[in-house]
């Protein structure tokens, strides 16, 4: 019997749709379909020009259906339609257009080799770049389409792999519509398999499946750790992990505050703080501290909360009741540990998962709300004196995903960019994403990179081929 789960509108708490819930057997069937498609070569053996055109066409179809996809994203996730329309959807399409370009570069090289291992021998040696095989993707709810389709699937498909995707059970709608567009673009059946279902069930089976060759995971550090264990205990499949963050944003006293204050505010409040690289710890130089706290608190007060489908809304609800409880719990923990709120701190209304944009001062690095990822619209602001003090504070975290600095001093900007232990540094900007730039984490924010050349290469294997040219002789071998 088919089991269903409901997906909820987080603004009204009403059911949007019943979704068929895939479990262990469905994952097994999807892996068989992906394996057969891979072995048939219906995708990997297509000519590069055909694969490129199909991926490019898929990017076009995403743009042609942008209004519908943005609407689905807003209904399911809560984000404003306007944000999904200018950010999530065009960025997803761009990743398909960009990765389509990489299809033609799946090439090896001819390598000059020596005769140290086999004295006197002559070789023609070359490398081949090949797809890895069947890739399992497991993705979160904060950018449901962008992360599942854009960040993960585009690179994976460009390299010729086949896919089983387990999207977040909280936001399955846009990626299911994407599946239809993929078929319309000409991706052969069996190449993309989407199985909505629970993490503990479908997700766990995918990560421990013996016939999956790689996992591309985006989600929390805690789940990432569990996935690594499943991989270690099964077939040692390859893995890319994009995990959590607690990113420092920095305002130096020489910054242009007209730009830095709204910029740092958006660095945390964009997407309701539900960004993996959200600038959730703000460090402000002493001289301008009070002015920045007042400016950011005023900015937060003006943010209009409402349903993502209202044209006036600037911030929608959090994605789920769970997320609302988590965020309110962190706010309470900040208060319990002696931090002070300058604005926000409360749930709004009695329907929907709305939480006020919240700013804390009097925080320190020992507090739970400063150490742990909240993944909501909550900012802590601390002061720093000089660069040394700043770098120590900014790097005092187990994460290393994003970071930002606002300054007009070029030398400080580059010094800090070099000293911060994080995968991305934004200078006089925040939350800028481009298909060609790698994205990923230092420390416990992940392994590997999404987007850019790094992502494409991470979905390939390199094979080394030696051809002996001087006839067959019996010789000794130096083995690795
Ligand atoms: P999550 O870890 O709870 O879930 C992510 C996915 O993992 C979901 O599809 C879930 O069903 C699945 N899952 C859960 N338990 C599993 C298990 N035992 N085995 C296999 N799969 C399992 O994360 P979330 O709440 O959906 O998303 C928020 C988190 O994602 C935050 O920590 C955020 O920082 C992170 N994130 C990171 C990036 C990045 O690029 N680094 C981007 C977006 C989100």
């Amino acid at each position: 019997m088919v089991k269903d789960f409901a997906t909820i509108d987080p603004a009204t708490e009403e059911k949007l749709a019943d979704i068929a819930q895939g479990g262990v057997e469905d994952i097994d069937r999807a892996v068989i379909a992906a394996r057969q498609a891979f072995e048939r070569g219906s995708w990997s053996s297509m000519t590069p020009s055909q694969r490129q055109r199909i991926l490019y066409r898929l990017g076009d179809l995403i743009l042609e259906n942008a209004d519908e996809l943005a609407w689905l994203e807003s209904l399911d996730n809560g984000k404003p339609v306007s944000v999904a329309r200018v950010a999530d959807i065009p960025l997803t399409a761009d990743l398909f257009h960009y990765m389509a370009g990489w299809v033609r570069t799946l090439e090896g090289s001819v390598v000059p080799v020596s005769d140290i291992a086999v004295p006197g021998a002559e070789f023609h040696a070359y490398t081949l770049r090949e797809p890895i095989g069947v890739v399992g993707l497991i993705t979160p709810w904060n950018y449901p389409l962008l992360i599942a389709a854009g960040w993960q699937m585009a690179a994976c498909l460009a390299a010729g792999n086949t896919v089983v995707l387990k999207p977040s059970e909280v936001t399955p709608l846009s990626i299911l519509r994407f599946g239809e567009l993929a078929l319309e673009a000409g991706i052969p059946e069996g190449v993309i398999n989407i199985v909505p279902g629970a993490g503990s069930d479908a997700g766990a089976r995918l990560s421990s499946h013996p016939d999956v060759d790689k996992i591309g995971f985006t989600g929390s550090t805690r789940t990432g750790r569990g996935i690594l264990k499943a991989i270690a205990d099964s077939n040692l499949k390859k893995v890319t992990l994009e995990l959590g963050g607690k990113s420092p944003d920095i305002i130096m006293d020489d910054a242009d505050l007209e730009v830095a204050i709204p910029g740092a505010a958006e660095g945390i409040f964009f997407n309701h703080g539900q960004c993996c690289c959200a600038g959730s710890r703000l460090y402000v130089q002493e001289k301008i501290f009070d002015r920045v706290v007042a400016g950011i608190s005023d900015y937060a007060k003006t943010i209009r909360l409402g349903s993502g489908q209202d044209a006036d809304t600037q911030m929608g609800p959090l994605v789920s009741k769970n997320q609302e409880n988590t965020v309110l719990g962190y706010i309470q923990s900040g208060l319990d540990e002696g931090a002070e709120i300058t604005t926000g701190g409360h749930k709004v209304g009695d329907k929907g998962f709305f939480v006020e944009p919240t700013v804390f001062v009097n925080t320190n690095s020992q507090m739970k709300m400063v150490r742990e990822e909240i993944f909501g619209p909550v900012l802590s602001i601390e002061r720093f004196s000089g660069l040394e003090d700043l770098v120590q504070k900014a790097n005092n975290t187990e994460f290393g995903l994003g970071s930002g600095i606002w300054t007009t001093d070029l030398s400080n900007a580059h010094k800090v960019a070099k000293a911060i232990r994080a995968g991305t540094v934004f200078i006089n900007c925040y939350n800028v994403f481009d298909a060609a730039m790698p994205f990923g984490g230092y420390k416990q924010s992940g392994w590997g990179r999404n987007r850019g050349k790094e992502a494409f290469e991470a979905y390939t294997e390199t094979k080394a081929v030696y051809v002996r040219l001087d006839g067959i002789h019996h010789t000794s071998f130096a083995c690795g």
Side-chain angles (χ1 to χ4, degrees), residues 454-468:
E454 278 88 345
F456 175 71
E457 290 184 343
Y459 283 109
T460 67
E461 290 275 26
T462 304
K463 183 180 279 170
V465 182
Y466 294 86
V467 185
R468 185 155 178 184

Side-chain angles (χ1 to χ4, degrees), residues 27-79:
I27 290 289
D28 288 352
R29 276 202 288 268
V31 172
I32 290 171
R35 175 61 61 195
Q36 286 174 346
F38 186 73
E39 299 298 342
R40 270 198 310 273
S42 50
W43 182 241
S44 60
S45 300
M46 232 182 222
T47 68
S49 123
Q50 279 175 316
R51 272 215 319 270
Q52 181 181 39
R53 265 184 277 133
I54 291 173
L55 285 182
Y56 205 89
R57 173 79 188 119
L58 182 49
D60 286 347
L61 280 174
I62 291 168
L63 289 181
E64 285 165 26
N65 292 275
D67 288 337
E68 182 194 359
L69 289 167
W71 199 260
L72 286 174
E73 213 64 309
S74 171
L75 281 170
D76 216 8
N77 166 283
K79 66 179 73 193

Side-chain angles (χ1 to χ4, degrees), residues 139 141 151 166 169 203 218-220 223 242-244 276 373 375:
T139 54
W141 45 258
W151 290 19
K166 207 296 288 170
E169 57 274 46
T218 306
S220 62
T223 307
E242 293 287 352
L243 307 175
C276 47
E373 181 182 48
F375 222 54

Side-chain angles (χ1 to χ4, degrees), residues 126-130 461-465:
Y126 61 94
T127 59
L128 293 174
R129 269 204 178 262
E130 298 176 345
E461 290 275 26
T462 304
K463 183 180 279 170
V465 182

Side-chain angles (χ1 to χ4, degrees), residues 138-143 147 151 166-170 197-207 217-224 226-227 230 241-245 274-277 323 373 375 401 439-441 445-446 450:
I138 302 176
T139 54
W141 45 258
N142 58 328
Y143 292 95
I147 291 178
W151 290 19
K166 207 296 288 170
S168 170
E169 57 274 46
V170 185
S200 54
D201 180 28
R205 176 59 181 161
L206 190 55
S207 21
F217 173 73
T218 306
S220 62
T221 297
R222 190 166 58 90
T223 307
I227 284 176
L241 299 173
E242 293 287 352
L243 307 175
Q274 301 170 145
C275 284
C276 47
C277 63
Q323 198 56 21
E373 181 182 48
F375 222 54
L401 196 55
F439 183 81
S445 287
N450 271 319

Side-chain angles (χ1 to χ4, degrees), residues 96 137 147-158 163 165 175 178 192:
F96 279 92
L137 300 177
I147 291 178
W151 290 19
Q152 299 276 25
M153 216 188 282
C156 182
L157 293 173
V163 179
L165 166 70
I175 195 69
F178 163 87
I192 298 177

